[in-house]
């Protein structure tokens, strides 16, 4: 596809300049509520990706030696600029992604928290020192940046997830090449502009666009030292294998099937509110969205209340006041989610609430699906096995808490989970026995704040270290251990065997 002069084009960021791609391959960025084409994004050529990496490599020579206080101050300024531009960022995000304006601000805000954390790099990138490990000998560690690092991000958090990546990578002294989702890169580009305005020097942050070819070029590039990926399990597994084989450090945060367990002693009204918000908010397109609820014992009688709660949610465009559920990101996503709902019916689940084809006045062409609930779901059904990534909640039942825990632990994914109860003993048992990365107790979407790291179990994560928090400082640095001794000018002679000197 060639570009039409009337539609704006998304630029590449290479060496501190926002440049037009010379590619022949472009993709439309479409408003999911209206189908209006907002802009076109290029699929960068191999040469453009090489130039981005070469600029990052060149910039690393000086950035790695930039004082830690100077690096910190860039992010102090950056957090201020993001705050000042919050409304504009949220509006861009809603237009290209579809989530409500309030949710879009939340997306930016959760990324902003990581930027604030990056501003405290002086307290995070500290080595260790042991005094007198032998007579007159000290050992200490340096946490040194790796070089050029790269990030590949998904469509569902186009502000937060890029901000999980490049601020901490750059704050630790690395340079970066970012490949945002080709579905909604515009808010990411505005964040890149603000990063330059905050003082990120030319070449330290570069942005290229594209799909599989750009990702593969990043995985294979000999000058990229580490790759951070967030997205589906299918693509993440490919990225992990390909980039690891090329000798890189890799972290991949991937797909999910998040379960909540409801015990009969839970606070009913609060639980129903939390379930509805976590299952249907952001149209179910959160990696931490609740997609399965397991009602235990007498809580099984709550199905009609849950359906009634879901019916109160308002489906509309993200820009409209009072909207709870915005559109899905694309027509392809709409087809996929509608198809899975149909499969659920065919495979024998009971459709308690059908959200397909809602009427949304003024937005008749939008990719809308309203809250959808199935009961009688079993582990063999497609709606249970697949990550639907839409506003669809599967209701399952269990006789006991242990049965519910066993069901969750048997699912291949282990991203997020939650328990609703008033029992401290049940909550403690749950947190001990459950094999899932993010665990909430009466908290439906327990995404950790940036002093902790995001994590994941089993098929939801590959690589040892997670994004942001303390773990990411290790991810983006190489530990060097120095063992040091200084000779006193007055000391003469000494044993020849050096190992003796360490005693
Ligand atoms: P996706 O895997 O389709 O895309 C992610 C990135 O990979 C994009 O930048 C895309 O351009 C690239 N890509 C797509 N196909 C590729 C291919 N064949 N080869 C190489 N690269 C390719 O994911 P998405 O649909 O954008 O995002 C939704 C997924 O992300 C869901 O599975 C969700 O659970 C997951 N997610 C996980 C987390 C987490 O922290 N665990 C957070 C957000 C989203």
């Amino acid at each position: 596809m060639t570009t039409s002069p009337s539609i704006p084009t998304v630029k590449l960021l290479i060496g501190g300049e926002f440049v037009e791609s010379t590619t022949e391959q472009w993709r439309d960025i479409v408003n999911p509520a209206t189908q209006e084409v907002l802009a076109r994004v290029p699929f960068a050529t191999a040469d453009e990706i090489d130039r981005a990496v070469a600029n990052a490599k060149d910039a690393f020579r000086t950035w790695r030696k930039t004082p830690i206080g100077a690096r910190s101050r860039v992010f102090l300024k950056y957090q201020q600029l993001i705050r000042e531009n919050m409304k504009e960022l949220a509006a861009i995000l809603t237009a290209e992604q579809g989530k409500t304006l309030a949710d879009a601000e939340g997306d930016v805000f959760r990324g902003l928290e990581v930027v604030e954390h990056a501003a405290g790099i002086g307290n995070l990138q500290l080595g260790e020192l042991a005094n007198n490990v032998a007579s007159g000998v000290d050992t200490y560690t340096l946490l040194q940046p790796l070089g050029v690092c790269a990030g590949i991000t998904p469509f569902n958090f186009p502000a937060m997830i890029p901000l999980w990546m490049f601020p901490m990578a750059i704050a630790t002294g690395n340079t970066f090449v970012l490949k945002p989702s080709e579905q909604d890169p515009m808010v990411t580009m505005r964040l890149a502009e603000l990063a330059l305005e905050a003082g990120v020097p030319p070449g330290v942050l570069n942005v290229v666009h594209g799909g599989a070819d750009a990702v593969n070029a990043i995985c294979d590039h000999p000058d990229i030292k580490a790759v951070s990926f967030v997205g589906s399990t299918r693509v993440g597994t490919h990225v992990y294998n390909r980039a690891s084989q090329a000798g890189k450090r890799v972290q991949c945060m991937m797909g999910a099937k998040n379960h909540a367990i409801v015990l009969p002693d839970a606070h009913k009204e609060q639980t129903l509110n939390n379930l509805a918000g976590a299952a249907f908010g952001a149209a179910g397109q959160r990696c931490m969205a609740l997609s399965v609820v397991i009602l235990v014992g007498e809580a099984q009688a709550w199905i009609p209340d849950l359906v009634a709660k879901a019916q109160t949610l308002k489906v509309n465009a993200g820009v409209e006041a009072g909207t709870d559920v915005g559109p899905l990101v694309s027509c392809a996503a709409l087809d996929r989610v509608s198809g899975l709902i149909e499969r659920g019916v065919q495979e024998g689940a009971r459709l308690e609430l059908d959200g397909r084809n809602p009427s949304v006045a003024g937005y008749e062409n939008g990719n809308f699906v309203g809250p959808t609930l199935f009961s009688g779901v079993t582990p063999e059904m497609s709606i249970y096995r697949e990550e639907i990534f839409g506003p669809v909640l599967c209701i399952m039942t269990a006789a006991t808490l242990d049965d519910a825990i066993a069901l969750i632990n048997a699912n291949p994914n282990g991203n997020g989970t939650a328990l609703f109860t008033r029992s401290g003993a049940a909550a403690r048992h749950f947190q001990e026995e459950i094999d899932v990365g993010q665990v909430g107790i009466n908290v439906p979407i327990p995404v950790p704040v940036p002093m902790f790291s995001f994590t994941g179990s089993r098929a939801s994560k590959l690589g040892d270290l997670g994004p942001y928090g303390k773990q990411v400082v290790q991810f983006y640095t190489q530990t060097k251990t120095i063992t040091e001794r200084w000779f006193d000018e007055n000391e003469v002679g000494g044993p020849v065997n050096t190992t003796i000197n360490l005693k």
Side-chain angles (χ1 to χ4, degrees):
M1 190 196 298
T2 50
T3 51
S4 142
S6 57
I7 298 174
T9 53
V10 178
K11 306 293 184 271
L12 307 171
L13 171 57
I14 300 179
E17 302 288 332
F18 289 92
V19 293
E20 188 86 305
S21 174
T22 58
T23 187
E24 299 282 294
Q25 204 190 341
W26 296 78
R27 178 191 159 112
D28 289 345
I29 303 166
V30 179
N31 182 323
T34 63
Q35 309 303 342
E36 177 200 356
V37 177
L38 301 169
R40 289 201 171 129
V41 62
F43 282 44
T45 64
D47 177 58
E48 287 164 344
I49 294 171
D50 278 346
R51 275 199 287 126
V53 178
N55 272 276
K57 189 177 176 186
D58 194 41
F60 180 64
R61 287 187 295 166
T62 43
W63 183 247
R64 67 190 279 263
K65 295 193 174 153
T66 303
I68 201 161
R71 283 183 266 138
S72 167
R73 279 189 290 278
V74 168
F75 290 96
L76 274 176
K77 175 79 178 158
Y78 191 34
Q79 67 80 29
Q80 181 198 346
L81 289 174
I82 293 174
R83 266 175 213 286
E84 286 170 5
N85 291 276
M86 177 64 88
K87 295 280 177 218
E88 183 207 348
L89 289 162
I92 298 171
L93 203 165
T94 294
E96 63 179 341
Q97 204 273 354
K99 62 178 73 175
T100 65
L101 286 169
D103 227 12
E105 282 199 31
D107 189 330
V108 178
F109 183 77
R110 294 310 300 261
L112 171 64
E113 289 183 310
V114 181
V115 176
E116 291 169 348
H117 198 61
I121 194 64
N123 289 320
L124 298 171
Q125 198 176 356
L126 295 176
E128 296 174 316
L129 187 146
N131 189 211
N132 284 322
V133 293
S135 179
V137 179
D138 301 328
T139 295
Y140 59 92
T141 56
L142 308 179
L143 303 186
Q144 294 195 309
L146 303 175
V148 182
C149 300
I152 300 156
T153 57
F155 81 84
N156 65 331
F157 281 97
M160 177 184 81
I161 293 177
L163 292 175
W164 278 7
M165 296 180 181
F166 72 79
M168 289 301 288
I170 291 173
T172 46
N174 298 283
T175 56
F176 208 80
V177 177
L178 177 68
K179 205 298 287 174
S181 170
E182 67 278 33
Q183 297 196 66
D184 49 11
M186 291 166 68
V187 69
T188 318
M189 291 316 288
R190 184 71 188 111
L191 284 166
E193 284 171 11
L194 294 176
L196 264 51
E197 200 180 323
V200 171
V204 171
L205 173 64
N206 304 272
V207 187
V208 295
H209 301 287
D213 289 347
V215 169
N216 290 339
I218 286 170
C219 293
D220 297 344
H221 204 294
D223 289 333
I224 293 178
K225 304 297 177 198
V227 175
S228 180
F229 170 90
V230 179
S232 64
T233 301
R234 180 183 61 83
V235 178
T237 306
H238 163 76
V239 166
Y240 188 81
N241 291 335
R242 190 159 178 155
S244 302
Q245 269 165 23
K248 301 181 195 338
R249 205 175 269 196
V250 195
Q251 60 173 210
C252 293
M253 314 308 296
M254 306 185 294
K257 196 79 187 174
N258 306 308
H259 301 62
I261 301 177
V262 178
L263 298 186
D265 69 353
H267 187 300
K268 189 169 176 184
E269 192 55 26
Q270 292 282 7
T271 301
L272 294 174
N273 281 336
N274 277 285
L275 293 177
F280 308 122
Q285 298 178 121
R286 297 177 177 132
C287 70
M288 291 286 282
L290 267 189
S291 43
V292 183
V293 58
I294 309 173
L295 303 176
V296 175
E298 289 148 27
Q300 292 172 27
W302 296 8
I303 293 176
D305 308 285
L306 191 50
V307 172
K309 183 64 71 182
Q311 280 170 321
T312 65
L313 299 182
K314 197 160 164 227
V315 181
N316 205 344
V319 290
E320 298 295 340
T323 301
D324 297 302
V325 181
L328 292 165
V329 69
S330 63
C331 297
L334 176 65
D335 288 347
R336 208 180 145 271
V337 171
S338 306
L340 275 161
I341 296 173
E342 188 51 39
R343 287 230 310 269
V345 174
Q346 284 166 7
E347 291 175 11
R350 199 161 37 254
L351 189 54
E352 301 273 356
L353 182 62
D354 186 356
R356 286 174 293 181
N357 306 312
S359 85
V360 182
Y363 298 94
E364 286 75 12
N365 295 324
N367 310 319
F368 294 101
V369 175
T372 299
L373 279 121
F374 280 107
S375 65
V377 177
T378 61
E380 303 74 38
M381 293 178 178
S382 308
I383 49 171
Y384 182 75
R385 284 187 289 105
E386 292 195 27
E387 184 182 25
I388 301 175
F389 229 53
V392 181
L393 181 62
C394 296
I395 304 174
M396 300 173 88
T397 54
T400 66
L401 173 59
D402 279 327
D403 290 348
I405 290 173
L407 182 64
I408 297 175
N409 287 347
N411 188 284
N413 299 288
N415 204 41
T417 189
L419 174 71
F420 290 89
T421 182
R422 285 186 169 101
S423 160
R428 190 159 195 291
H429 180 66
F430 174 71
Q431 78 180 39
E432 289 291 303
E433 298 303 322
I434 204 76
D435 180 13
V436 172
Q438 272 77 224
V439 177
I441 309 290
N442 297 312
V443 174
I445 304 197
V447 176
V449 289
M451 48 288 253
F452 299 91
S453 297
F454 199 88
T455 177
S457 297
R458 299 174 279 138
S460 293
K461 179 176 179 230
L462 282 168
D464 303 328
L465 300 167
Y468 66 85
K470 292 194 186 81
Q471 290 184 13
V472 95
V473 176
Q474 277 179 283
F475 182 76
Y476 285 126
T477 60
Q478 174 65 42
T479 305
K480 195 180 272 179
T481 310
I482 319 285
T483 299
E484 182 181 83
R485 179 176 60 183
W486 297 96
F487 297 111
D488 192 316
E489 289 303 319
N490 300 325
E491 276 182 42
V492 283
V496 174
N497 184 343
T498 50
T499 58
I500 290 172
N501 295 342
L502 288 172
K503 289 188 180 157

